Amino acid sequence: MASYNKVILMGNLTRDPELRSLPSGMSVARIGIAVNRRYSGKDGEMKEEVTYVDVDAFGKQAETIAKYCVKGSGILVEGRLRLDQWDDRNTGEKRSKLGVVLEGFTFTGGGTGRSRDGNAGGYEDASVPPRRAAAPRASAVPPPAAAPDIEEDIPF
């Protein structure tokens, strides 16, 4: 049987990214994101449910996230689910945790607007270019006829 493992989540970081390096030299960043869901309860009152998800990023993506994200930053994450299993050292019980391995991401804003080095919205890394304004689209509607002259004595 075929299977498909894809996750798309959008939320805010619950803490600053934790950047580490593997023995191979590859960077790993662990981030936590909070994903909110709003719904109307049986009584008609609006309720909110928060789900906390741990995400692991690797390589250049991990370095970029660690450089530009801080607690509260907005992010859209695409990845795959991974189940980690281990034996608890204290109790000997089997433990498991479901997490996400990041495959792609987009900064969505909604956070502090500052990178970890204090820059306000500036990108210094050439691998993450700043967004460019879209070129104006040609309109199918012709421009309006010349507007009548308006006096310049508007009181503001």
Side-chain angles (χ1 to χ4, degrees):
M1 175 189 283
S3 59
Y4 187 71
N5 185 354
K6 184 76 167 180
V7 175
I8 300 173
L9 301 169
M10 186 167 64
N12 295 85
L13 270 66
T14 59
R15 60 184 181 271
D16 289 344
E18 301 166 13
L19 185 65
R20 297 177 286 137
S21 293
L22 296 175
S24 66
M26 179 179 281
S27 298
V28 179
R30 173 158 284 176
I31 61 173
I33 62 173
V35 180
N36 299 332
R37 173 181 172 251
R38 290 187 179 166
Y39 62 97
S40 179
K42 291 181 181 180
D43 57 0
E45 185 178 337
M46 289 301 294
K47 297 184 179 188
E48 188 167 354
E49 171 184 272
V50 182
T51 302
Y52 299 97
V53 181
D54 285 329
V55 179
D56 292 327
F58 296 90
K60 189 69 173 170
Q61 291 179 327
E63 295 168 11
T64 302
I65 288 172
K67 183 173 183 178
Y68 293 109
C69 291
V70 293
K71 179 179 179 177
S73 297
I75 193 166
L76 181 134
V77 170
E78 296 181 52
R80 59 185 165 82
L81 290 175
R82 179 181 66 197
L83 180 66
D84 292 325
Q85 298 178 322
W86 69 95
D87 292 328
D88 188 304
R89 291 181 184 167
N90 299 329
T91 64
E93 294 179 12
K94 292 204 176 281
R95 305 279 305 205
S96 63
K97 182 177 182 180
L98 197 57
V100 174
V101 176
L102 183 131
E103 294 174 349
F105 70 94
T106 301
F107 297 130
T108 62
T112 63
R114 297 202 163 273
S115 66
R116 290 173 74 80
D117 59 8
N119 290 335
Y123 289 101
E124 296 174 5
D125 188 348
S127 67
V128 183
R131 290 187 175 199
R132 296 183 184 163
R137 293 183 179 174
S139 175
V141 178
D149 288 335
I150 299 176
E151 294 184 34
E152 294 294 326
D153 58 16
I154 299 174
F156 52 87

